[in-house]
Amino acid sequence: GGRRGSGGGTAQAEGFRVQWCGLKPLPPVGEAAAAGYPCTAPKLLVGGTNQNTYSNSGNICCDATDSSNWHDDSDGVRIWKRVDLSKCPLRGVRVLLTTVVSSDGSVQKMGGASSYANTADPNIVILYLFPTISFRAYSADRFDFRVQYCAIGA
């Protein structure tokens, strides 16, 4: 349940606040798009066992990579890609949401999961894709696999 107003006042008078987030569709292949800030100031917590406020005016910045530079991992089970987050200059990224998409839907048909690892450079993460079928890095480029991400920070 949410807060219920008395029925006679405006949303502002009743103290209602709306937090929203809108994500734009992935641009067509070959079109450049700038990173964006689609959400109003989310409240960020310190995290872990500390539930204190880190910032009351956080930012969410979303962007997508191109489909090039995927690599086969030495284990033969996964492929990986360096993801540069510098288009979203956030101080202290608290959360990173990622997904892998393709223009023809082949990544959804393939199945699997992805995860990322931090690097020594705070603007670079390595995204790992674990397909459920045998899959090589050159196919990721051929099928237009791109990483969409949203970085949440202050």
Side-chain angles (χ1 to χ4, degrees), residues 26-47:
L26 187 65
V29 175
E31 288 188 24
Y37 295 86
C39 299
T40 61
K43 180 175 188 167
L44 304 176
L45 301 178
V46 172

Side-chain angles (χ1 to χ4, degrees), residues 1-151:
R3 182 173 162 190
R4 188 175 206 145
S6 63
T10 66
Q12 184 176 11
E14 294 291 337
F16 291 2
R17 291 188 345 202
V18 176
Q19 297 291 327
W20 61 271
C21 186
L23 300 178
K24 61 185 177 183
L26 187 65
V29 175
E31 288 188 24
Y37 295 86
C39 299
T40 61
K43 180 175 188 167
L44 304 176
L45 301 178
V46 172
T49 59
N50 185 342
Q51 295 300 300
N52 292 330
T53 299
Y54 175 79
S55 172
N56 281 317
S57 57
N59 289 301
I60 300 178
C61 177
C62 301
D63 200 13
T65 68
D66 62 18
S67 62
S68 63
N69 296 316
W70 285 90
H71 305 275
D72 292 312
D73 202 31
S74 59
D75 64 10
V77 175
R78 59 191 176 179
I79 60 175
W80 62 272
K81 179 179 180 67
R82 289 171 49 94
V83 179
D84 183 351
L85 306 174
S86 62
K87 291 181 181 176
C88 293
L90 300 176
R91 182 177 45 85
V93 172
R94 310 310 284 175
V95 176
L96 181 64
L97 307 173
T98 64
T99 189
V100 179
V101 297
S102 59
S103 58
D104 68 353
S106 57
V107 72
Q108 290 81 7
K109 296 172 194 167
M110 177 184 70
S114 65
S115 64
Y116 71 90
N118 293 317
T119 66
D121 182 339
N123 288 319
I124 302 290
V125 297
I126 304 295
L127 182 113
Y128 295 96
L129 180 60
F130 300 82
T132 57
I133 60 172
S134 180
F135 196 82
R136 308 301 290 178
Y138 65 83
S139 295
D141 187 22
R142 190 175 110 215
F143 291 114
D144 191 37
F145 283 19
R146 293 183 273 167
V147 177
Q148 284 186 319
Y149 63 87
C150 290

